[in-house]
Amino acid sequence: MYRERGNKMHPQPLTEDLANHFKKVNDFRSHIYQLQHAWDSLALMAQLSGTGSEMEETRSAFNTISNDVLRHLSQETLHKTAAQLSSKAFEIINLLVRNLFERTADIGFFATDDDVRDYLEKQAADIVEDADQDRLAFRFQEYQKKYTVYDNIVLFDEEGQLLHQLDDTQTTLFHYHPIVALARQSTEPYVERFYETEIGGKLHKSLVYAHAVRSKDGQRTLGVLCLCFKFVNELDTIFHNLISHNDWTIGVLLDEERHVIASSDPYQIPLGVSLCVDTDTDWFITRFSGREYLCVTKQSEGYQGYLGPGWLGQAMIPIEHAFNQTIHDMVNTINADILRKVMRSPLIFSESLLNIPKQAANIQSKLNQSVWNGNIRQSNDVNTQQKNFSKSLLSEISHTGHKTQQIIENMVSELYQTVVSVMLENSSFYAQLAVEIMDRNLYERANDVRWWALTHVFRDLLAKTSLQAEDKSTMTEVLRYINSLYTVYDNLIVFDRKGEVMAVSNHQYNHLLGTQLADEWVGRTRSCASTQDYVVSPFEPTPLYNDKHTYIYAAPIRHLDGSSIIGGIAIVFDSTPQFQAMLRDVIPRDKTDTPVNGSFTLFVNEQMNVISSTHKDFAMGELFELMPAISKLKEGEQLFDIAIYQNTYYAVGARAAYGYREFKSEQDSYRNKVVALIFTPLGKVDEINQRIHAEAQVIHNKFNPNLFAQSGQDCQEYATFYVGDSWMGIEARFVREAIDEDQLRTLPESAPFIAGMHAYRGEVIPVIDLARMLGHPHYFTDYRQIIVIEDKAASLRFGLFVSALGEIPYLAPTQIQPMTTFFRGASHNPGIAIANIAQNSMLTLTTAQSLWDKVLSVRSQAAEQVYA
């Protein structure tokens, strides 16, 4: 149902060594083996006692089904673990690559910063003063405060000599560094290299982004700027959110040479070691340090054309712990009735899998017939001791069949629940991925607005008492340049201290120039106390976004001396395409990388309004009422359930956003709980209900061993059977055997209850469909049987269609009450009686003669109606 993200996968064969670790599967296999031993013993005793019960076909059929279910269960057990590893490996590499994509934009923009250029110009002219040094240090500090993903910012002159760095403890970059030469010579937008730097005497992994700083006319290289990404810190964050403390999974990041450069558990998988990888299969087994691991490796899918440094994400788990997880903690939270229905869905299960319980029931019905016939034959045995032994043996055979059938049904149930739990887990995983993608994206927006509020041009010009057209044009050019690099914004706006719009980046909003912004977030912007503060509008329609819903991030622009707020900058997030892109990235896909038909995803805010959706019925801004339980989710909490929408069952994973770094954390005053929901279809409600209704009409295996009574001197044996839901019985001496319907031939123009004629022991006998004759609505069955009735004294021999066979108990006269005792004086067939076997178990007894009289009576009534 779900795609293996990142590359086309090829399934691997399931080896016996691997299957030995499937505890639940092996428990079932052990039960099956025990029953096979029981079958062996019963077969031997049946042969010695001459019960006449043939079991070899039954044993073989049960064995075939059992092996088939065990094979499917093994495959799904493996798939469940492999899918979990695949999701984690996918998240490791793709979350990192998305983050690094933002870094490639940062270095390109920061390298054009006027303060950095001015400093390098003065450095070249040898006129740098202490104030210039302080201004650059302040600039670097402010940048790192906003973009906390960097632990160092380093500036070199055109010769590659270090001029300034934010963190003086990093000594490796103190002198000429090879990345400087690469950046000076490169025509690419950035240079990206992975290095070890030394901090406090210890080696520290760092991903460095470099870009040449050029003069405004682009003709001269002034120096090289480097941003040092917090590589270790970022991977620790990814691992922490991905792998819980009780999870045996190990997450690793591998470089181009397949060396480990990050590990969630360096004690098991140390840094620097080389690991085997296989990106062409959906899983593989590798051995490391004397231990076997089940592994999945993922390449980056890339993001907006950026593929990252060529690294790989890998998730691995020790074989001995790979299959210990239980599915019941997940499915136990689901409504039992809904879960039962979903497990009959043809959308997620093949017809062969759905038919396994029916096949097992049919096998048991065949066994019941064999046992039933054996009991009938034993009823005429004069050797009472031999008869009792044989009947006990037959009962045990039936018991063993029931046990086998029950284990098969339990295995099938485990199989079904495993498949459903995988779909629930996948929905839950993609919901987590969705909120991580969203929060990481919006984290950058909060950084951008605060950084651009420190732009020297804005602070200088807004400090004037009045702005000339040239001043506004200058600000407009800067905004357009920024917006050209950061395309996630629909518009950037600079306004003065009164809220009047001075410049916009998008010319489609030129009509805003000179207008007064009166939104409440404008007032909050003026109340920001420091350069770290920012404000965000509610998610609502705004004329700043063509009256559509969006978030607007704003920060105050301060005077160059920092004494007062002289205006502000607002960035209008292009929410419609950006949120859609995020949701499309997490929509469930099949193995051909095609979105699963009918699946959809949403973002919903704390007010239960839709922020974005891939389903046309959930419009932006509308109230989301389908799953009210998500309103109770706290930050970071998840929910998975099965929901019904538009006649379809859906596996739903929901996750409440929990922020990223300081964004929406305790250090941040901004709070905005957003829940991501992933809906994956599980099947049509009406189709499943129709299937369940049809299956309910089929009656199987009505044997109830608890109804046996001990034989006594006056007891009589009764052969019981079911017609629809009615339990009926007839003295065993009037029953010859139960046979199959394979030789039944229908009769033209006969009454509906005359099923046809059947060849039996050289004769042809009529077969009566008693359920139709009695007007019973439930007469459907996959495996119909005919019991042959014979009353030699009355010269009667005919067959009865029955829905299922019952037990052959002994009944004492005191247990039987004729119908005439209930309705004295009324005309009732004297052959009908009631036997109260046990609580809620009432047996209707009849005779061969009374049954045939009923046939004649109904036939006569039908003929009268025809002639009338």
Side-chain angles (χ1 to χ4, degrees):
M1 176 62 70
Y2 287 88
R3 70 169 170 172
E4 302 296 343
R5 304 290 294 264
N7 50 284
K8 186 176 181 180
M9 308 310 293
H10 304 281
Q12 294 295 291
L14 176 60
T15 64
E16 184 177 346
D17 288 343
L18 186 60
N20 288 335
H21 295 281
F22 300 162
K23 183 179 183 304
K24 190 70 177 180
V25 177
N26 292 330
D27 287 345
F28 281 126
R29 184 176 283 112
S30 176
H31 291 313
I32 292 294
Y33 286 162
Q34 290 175 10
L35 285 171
Q36 287 177 348
H37 291 312
W39 281 115
D40 291 339
S41 300
L42 290 171
L44 178 61
M45 287 189 287
Q47 186 177 3
L48 294 174
S49 65
T51 59
S53 178
E54 297 294 334
M55 290 185 294
E56 191 56 41
E57 183 180 348
T58 301
R59 294 174 60 195
S60 176
F62 272 142
N63 189 55
T64 299
I65 287 186
S66 298
N67 290 336
D68 190 33
V69 178
L70 285 170
R71 178 174 56 83
H72 280 292
L73 186 55
S74 296
Q75 291 172 342
E76 291 301 330
T77 299
L78 174 59
H79 173 67
K80 176 179 170 62
T81 300
Q84 292 171 337
L85 293 175
S86 177
S87 297
K88 291 170 182 176
F90 169 78
E91 184 167 342
I92 290 169
I93 188 61
N94 280 284
L95 276 183
L96 178 64
V97 166
R98 279 177 172 269
N99 195 323
L100 300 186
F101 170 78
E102 297 284 350
R103 313 290 65 91
T104 64
D106 287 350
I107 187 63
F109 180 71
F110 201 7
T112 63
D113 186 79
D114 285 342
D115 286 349
V116 175
R117 278 175 172 160
D118 291 344
Y119 180 86
L120 288 174
E121 293 274 15
K122 290 182 177 181
Q123 179 68 33
D126 198 22
I127 55 173
V128 172
E129 298 179 356
D130 289 343
D132 299 316
Q133 194 76 29
D134 293 341
R135 188 181 302 117
L136 184 69
F138 171 80
R139 195 78 173 144
F140 281 13
Q141 290 166 2
E142 285 294 323
Y143 193 87
Q144 199 272 338
K145 285 180 182 179
K146 277 65 174 177
Y147 299 91
T148 55
V149 294
Y150 300 112
D151 58 10
N152 199 10
I153 305 171
V154 188
L155 185 63
F156 298 89
D157 66 15
E158 59 179 331
E159 299 298 328
Q161 297 299 314
L162 177 68
L163 297 178
H164 183 79
Q165 67 172 336
L166 182 66
D167 184 0
D168 289 331
T169 65
Q170 296 194 20
T171 57
T172 302
L173 292 178
F174 238 92
H175 303 290
Y176 180 85
H177 199 283
I179 199 171
V180 178
L182 290 172
R184 284 189 308 181
Q185 299 166 7
S186 176
T187 58
E188 298 297 320
Y190 58 88
V191 173
E192 178 185 57
R193 289 294 184 273
F194 188 59
Y195 289 115
E196 279 189 338
T197 59
E198 188 175 312
I199 304 177
K202 294 182 179 179
L203 289 179
H204 181 75
K205 298 282 187 180
S206 184
L207 189 59
V208 181
Y209 289 84
H211 197 290
V213 181
R214 294 183 173 87
S215 58
K216 288 187 178 181
D217 59 13
Q219 300 301 310
R220 293 180 297 120
T221 298
L222 305 175
V224 172
L225 180 70
C226 295
L227 293 176
C228 302
F229 177 66
K230 289 182 179 178
F231 170 79
V232 175
N233 176 266
E234 174 64 13
L235 266 297
D236 285 346
T237 300
I238 292 175
F239 291 147
H240 174 77
N241 293 335
L242 192 63
I243 303 171
S244 63
H245 69 281
N246 58 349
D247 188 348
W248 281 90
T249 303
I250 305 166
V252 297
L253 187 69
L254 305 166
D255 65 13
E256 304 96 316
E257 277 126 25
R258 308 314 185 234
H259 292 116
V260 175
I261 53 176
S263 172
S264 66
D265 189 347
Y267 294 101
Q268 286 196 69
I269 308 295
L271 299 180
V273 300
S274 178
L275 291 181
C276 294
V277 301
D278 190 344
T279 58
D280 294 325
T281 58
D282 53 359
W283 58 269
F284 63 95
I285 295 176
T286 188
R287 182 180 295 175
F288 179 78
S289 192
R291 198 175 201 180
E292 282 189 315
Y293 293 87
L294 183 71
C295 305
V296 174
T297 310
K298 289 295 180 183
Q299 297 170 322
S300 169
E301 287 188 323
Y303 181 64
Q304 296 191 15
Y306 172 72
L307 296 176
W311 297 341
L312 300 173
Q314 182 162 297
M316 49 202 302
I317 187 169
I319 289 290
E320 66 268 27
H321 298 291
F323 310 104
N324 293 342
Q325 304 138 310
T326 175
I327 63 173
H328 300 293
D329 290 342
M330 173 167 284
V331 298
N332 282 348
T333 63
I334 308 300
N335 179 279
D337 184 56
I338 290 178
L339 181 62
R340 177 181 62 85
K341 290 181 177 180
V342 165
M343 291 195 302
R344 305 306 298 156
S345 171
L347 181 65
I348 55 178
F349 300 106
S350 67
E351 197 65 25
S352 61
L353 282 179
L354 289 173
N355 283 334
I356 286 176
K358 183 170 67 175
Q359 292 172 6
N362 284 341
I363 294 170
Q364 181 62 27
S365 292
K366 290 281 288 183
L367 178 64
N368 286 349
Q369 179 178 318
S370 177
V371 170
W372 202 81
N373 287 336
N375 271 299
I376 292 294
R377 285 191 287 272
Q378 294 299 321
S379 296
N380 299 318
D381 194 335
V382 295
N383 186 336
T384 304
Q385 184 176 358
Q386 177 67 22
K387 181 196 294 186
N388 290 340
F389 171 77
S390 296
K391 290 179 74 66
S392 297
L393 177 59
L394 289 168
S395 175
E396 189 59 35
I397 291 172
S398 180
H399 272 291
T400 304
H402 276 290
K403 290 177 183 177
T404 306
Q405 180 190 358
Q406 186 63 52
I407 288 179
I408 291 173
E409 290 178 351
N410 289 343
M411 288 193 298
V412 171
S413 177
E414 185 80 13
L415 170 62
Y416 291 165
Q417 291 183 56
T418 300
V419 173
V420 173
S421 72
V422 169
M423 301 186 75
L424 288 168
E425 284 184 340
N426 272 279
S427 292
S428 181
F429 161 74
Y430 285 117
Q432 176 180 340
L433 184 59
V435 296
E436 289 220 25
I437 290 173
M438 180 199 64
D439 273 346
R440 287 163 177 266
N441 189 302
L442 299 184
Y443 159 83
E444 302 290 345
R445 311 300 62 95
N447 297 341
D448 291 347
V449 72
R450 290 179 295 173
W451 176 246
W452 297 334
L454 296 176
T455 302
H456 191 102
V457 171
F458 300 156
R459 301 173 73 185
D460 185 29
L461 294 179
L462 286 177
K464 295 182 177 181
T465 55
S466 63
L467 292 181
Q468 303 302 312
E470 184 181 354
D471 298 329
K472 295 178 182 179
S473 177
T474 299
M475 289 193 291
T476 298
E477 289 177 9
V478 173
L479 290 180
R480 286 180 179 174
Y481 171 69
I482 296 173
N483 210 165
S484 69
L485 294 176
Y486 293 82
T487 56
V488 297
Y489 302 111
D490 182 58
N491 193 21
L492 309 180
I493 302 170
V494 169
F495 53 92
D496 67 11
R497 59 169 58 88
K498 296 179 181 178
E500 182 180 338
V501 177
M502 296 288 106
V504 297
S505 65
N506 188 339
H507 65 86
Q508 295 180 3
Y509 293 95
N510 282 347
H511 62 278
L512 295 175
L513 295 171
T515 62
Q516 200 87 11
L517 298 177
D519 303 85
E520 58 82 26
W521 53 265
V522 178
R524 285 192 285 129
T525 304
R526 300 190 188 101
S527 302
C528 291
S530 74
T531 58
Q532 286 299 98
D533 293 336
Y534 66 99
V535 301
V536 187
S537 73
F539 188 76
E540 60 188 8
T542 171
L544 304 184
Y545 191 52
N546 289 324
D547 295 321
K548 295 182 295 183
H549 286 74
T550 193
Y551 290 116
I552 297 175
Y553 289 73
I557 296 175
R558 298 177 183 276
H559 195 282
L560 284 172
D561 62 11
S563 62
S564 61
I565 293 175
I566 54 178
I569 181 171
I571 56 179
V572 182
F573 185 56
D574 198 3
S575 61
T576 300
Q578 294 302 321
F579 282 136
Q580 281 290 302
M582 295 178 203
L583 291 177
R584 283 195 299 268
D585 279 349
V586 297
I587 201 163
R589 295 177 179 266
D590 61 26
K591 291 186 177 180
T592 65
D593 204 31
T594 303
V596 173
N597 187 35
S599 60
F600 61 94
T601 56
L602 304 98
F603 284 132
V604 177
N605 67 14
E606 196 164 8
Q607 292 73 38
M608 297 295 285
N609 294 318
V610 175
I611 290 176
S612 186
S613 166
T614 60
H615 195 296
K616 59 181 178 58
D617 289 350
F618 299 101
M620 185 180 295
E622 286 189 356
L623 189 65
F624 181 75
E625 299 178 299
L626 182 56
M627 295 188 66
I630 66 170
S631 63
K632 299 179 181 178
L633 289 178
K634 297 178 181 178
E635 292 179 351
E637 288 186 342
Q638 66 176 343
L639 175 150
F640 39 79
D641 204 349
I642 296 176
I644 301 175
Y645 180 67
Q646 291 187 338
N647 190 46
T648 301
Y649 289 109
Y650 286 93
V652 184
R655 185 81 176 215
Y658 42 87
Y660 173 64
R661 294 186 176 273
E662 69 282 351
F663 178 64
K664 295 199 298 189
S665 69
E666 293 180 359
Q667 302 100 303
D668 189 5
S669 60
Y670 177 56
R671 283 291 184 276
N672 181 37
K673 188 183 80 174
V674 175
V675 177
L677 297 107
I678 312 294
F679 283 75
T680 308
L682 299 175
K684 295 292 184 182
V685 174
D686 53 2
E687 290 180 3
I688 294 173
N689 286 342
Q690 288 170 12
R691 185 182 192 95
I692 292 174
H693 178 73
E695 290 173 347
Q697 310 307 305
V698 179
I699 300 173
H700 283 296
N701 307 330
K702 288 287 189 173
F703 274 32
N704 188 345
N706 296 325
L707 300 183
F708 270 115
Q710 292 295 323
S711 61
Q713 186 174 1
D714 298 327
C715 289
Q716 198 68 254
E717 285 183 279
Y718 283 82
T720 70
F721 51 88
Y722 288 82
V723 177
D725 291 333
S726 299
W727 188 25
M728 303 182 68
I730 188 171
E731 282 190 51
R733 61 192 178 94
F734 293 126
V735 178
R736 290 296 158 256
E737 63 179 318
I739 60 176
D740 297 332
E741 60 172 319
D742 53 349
Q743 296 187 46
L744 180 69
R745 299 294 180 266
T746 58
L747 295 175
E749 300 183 4
S750 62
F753 60 86
I754 303 296
M757 305 298 289
H758 197 287
Y760 179 72
R761 294 187 181 182
E763 296 184 37
V764 176
I765 61 173
V767 177
I768 311 302
D769 192 331
L770 191 55
R772 284 188 182 275
M773 188 175 73
L774 300 177
H776 200 291
H778 305 297
Y779 58 84
F780 307 102
T781 177
D782 281 355
Y783 181 70
R784 298 196 298 178
Q785 296 163 96
I786 299 171
I787 61 172
V788 179
I789 308 292
E790 183 177 38
D791 186 345
K792 292 182 178 179
S795 299
L796 293 175
R797 180 182 280 188
F798 57 92
L800 284 180
F801 255 141
V802 298
S803 305
L805 300 172
E807 296 293 344
I808 303 181
Y810 286 97
L811 296 179
T814 55
Q815 294 177 272
I816 302 172
Q817 292 180 273
M819 288 292 291
T820 53
T821 63
F822 296 103
F823 304 97
R824 298 184 185 279
S827 176
H828 281 282
N829 191 326
I832 304 297
I834 298 295
N836 188 14
I837 304 298
Q839 186 178 5
N840 299 323
S841 298
M842 189 174 295
L843 173 64
T844 301
L845 301 177
T846 187
T847 65
Q849 186 65 59
S850 63
L851 282 172
W852 189 250
D853 289 344
K854 181 66 175 176
V855 170
L856 297 178
S857 173
V858 174
R859 186 178 184 186
S860 175
Q861 293 173 8
E864 291 176 1
Q865 291 176 359
V866 170
Y867 288 114

